Amino acid sequence: MTPIEVISTARSPVTDPHVHVWGWEIPVYLFLGGLTAGLMILSGYALWRGRRNPRPEASFALASSGLFGVGLVTISLGMVALFLDLVHKPYVWRLYLTFEPTSPMSWGSWILLLVYPVLALGVLLDPPRVLRERVPAVARLRRLADSDRARRWFGLVSIAVGVGLGAYTGLLLSSLGARPMWSSSVLAPLFLVSGLSTAAAFAHWVTPVPEESEQLARLDNALIVAELAMLAFFLIGLVSSTEVHARAAALLLGGPYTAVFWVGVVGLGLVVPLVIQSLVVTRRVAHTPLAPILVLLGGLVLRFVLVSAGQISHWSRL
Amino acid sequence: MSRLAMVIDTRRCVGCQDCVVACKTENQTPEGFNRDWITYITKGRFPTLSMSIQSERCNHCDDPPCVSCCPTGASHVHDFGGIVLVDKDECIGCKACVASCPYDARYMHPDGYADKCTFCVHRVEHGQDPACVSVCPTHCMYFGDLDDPESEVSKLLASRKHYSLLPEAGTKPRIFYLE
């Protein structure tokens, strides 16, 4: 029988009405981590296919040091957010005294340690002239970076580390079974595809090469469609599962997060940019930064909604 | 290895909150936070109502998600009785364990680490009962080893109808309530 009233003395002004676990820092980190992962995968793929930056020096074309540099900035901002979220900050080094195979967060902390050298090497593919002239080691590395073989291998490594980073940001949430909204294995591929989509949008926005704009707009359209499908799988999975999972889905289907999810994420974040970019690739409107900016904001809002609503979803009866 | 557990007789519990006060005094939990609490549940439809009272705390689960999600190993299963504990010198305050607990048994201590019921490990290692069990004026709480068939808790669970909280969450809780 469902209780009609539950009074608990566990509630205090600190925990009432819900145990508030994560604030703005975690969604921001998950967004920036996903964006970085997407940039690593896109650039890694371009390198693997043997693409060379048509304009050396710091431009932001695919496989350029510029995009890897952006990755360094976005992941570092994400790490700052992650660090701000920690309550026991002076103990952060404890992450690196152990490896806990059952903890996605432990995997993530070690993956982040791989992300930095890969991004740094990516920047050194076409290092800025100042660095090349002042540091002899960078000039030597440049000879290696000119080798097609080395570039292809580096591309594969970048893809592998990027997939690890992007998937872990979703797995992190989906491993926490106590929050029914998160206990969906779709979250890992959803966050990976969303990360790729935001990265394609960003690259589309900044690339100086017209052919790349075209390719990236088409790619992003495909990724947006994939993301819409994954969101549908996510909701269908929850609705058709147990009562608590269906109740978690109801937070997005009529509950308090309905408007922000359907308008902010699905509408403005996915459908509207998909429509704009479909018109762009069929030559009916010119390339506009509006669509990529909407995709980027949509990716951020998606993570805010899922982190916040996920925390509210729970197993108990009331 | 023993598996320490608690059995609480809901027929005897009057919801006096002595266990809550005893825990707070024994463990000096910070203002605004409790490691154990009372839940008063009303069921039915007026005027046919029934009320039950539960003294709740960390369930020291056999399959604790707070331990498997901890990135530093700060949350761990103690050798003594399988008690789930937090080593505050290893905790970085990432709050994954707080999110992983279906019972909301954990909170962030103002000093920065995750905190929760320890089954009064400092007492039970010396053969004493946890503070909450030892003060209960109606003697409705029992503490002992589930792996010992002769223990009071094993005998009670063998002979009386009982339930645990949210068994469907799959963590195999070790706090049992006698009906």
Side-chain angles (χ1 to χ4, degrees), chain B residues 107-123:
Chain B
Y107 60 88
M108 293 311 295
H109 193 284
D111 288 346
Y113 54 88
D115 196 31
K116 68 172 195 71
C117 163
T118 62
F119 265 173
C120 284
V121 62
H122 58 286
R123 291 171 58 93

Side-chain angles (χ1 to χ4, degrees), chain B residues 25-175:
Chain B
T25 315
E26 176 74 24
N27 297 301
Q28 300 286 310
T29 53
E31 193 181 343
F33 299 96
N34 291 337
R35 289 183 182 180
D36 61 349
W37 59 92
I38 303 284
T39 305
Y40 306 88
I41 303 152
T42 310
K43 290 182 178 175
R45 190 189 171 104
F46 185 81
T48 321
L49 296 172
S50 69
M51 189 176 182
S52 56
I53 303 165
Q54 284 163 189
S55 171
E56 298 182 15
R57 60 192 51 59
C58 166
N59 277 271
H60 296 273
C61 305
D62 276 342
D63 193 2
C66 51
V67 171
S68 58
C69 76
C70 177
T72 65
S75 279
H76 62 282
V77 178
H78 191 45
D79 289 338
F80 186 85
I83 298 175
V84 178
L85 294 177
V86 184
D87 184 341
K88 64 179 180 184
D89 292 329
E90 286 186 25
C91 176
I92 59 171
C94 72
K95 296 173 277 190
C97 57
V98 182
S100 78
C101 177
Y103 305 101
D104 289 345
R106 291 181 170 229
Y107 60 88
M108 293 311 295
H109 193 284
D111 288 346
Y113 54 88
D115 196 31
K116 68 172 195 71
C117 163
T118 62
F119 265 173
C120 284
V121 62
H122 58 286
R123 291 171 58 93
V124 301
E125 276 183 333
H126 296 101
Q128 294 175 298
D129 274 336
C132 53
V133 176
S134 70
V135 299
C136 179
T138 65
H139 299 289
C140 77
M141 302 168 79
Y142 305 87
F143 186 73
D145 180 9
L146 284 182
D147 282 350
D148 173 9
E150 293 305 313
S151 70
E152 204 171 16
V153 290
S154 295
K155 286 179 177 169
L156 281 167
L157 293 180
S159 59
R160 297 266 307 265
K161 278 183 82 176
H162 59 270
Y163 63 93
S164 55
L165 300 182
L166 304 177
E168 64 273 28
T171 61
K172 304 193 182 82
R174 290 209 304 260
I175 308 271

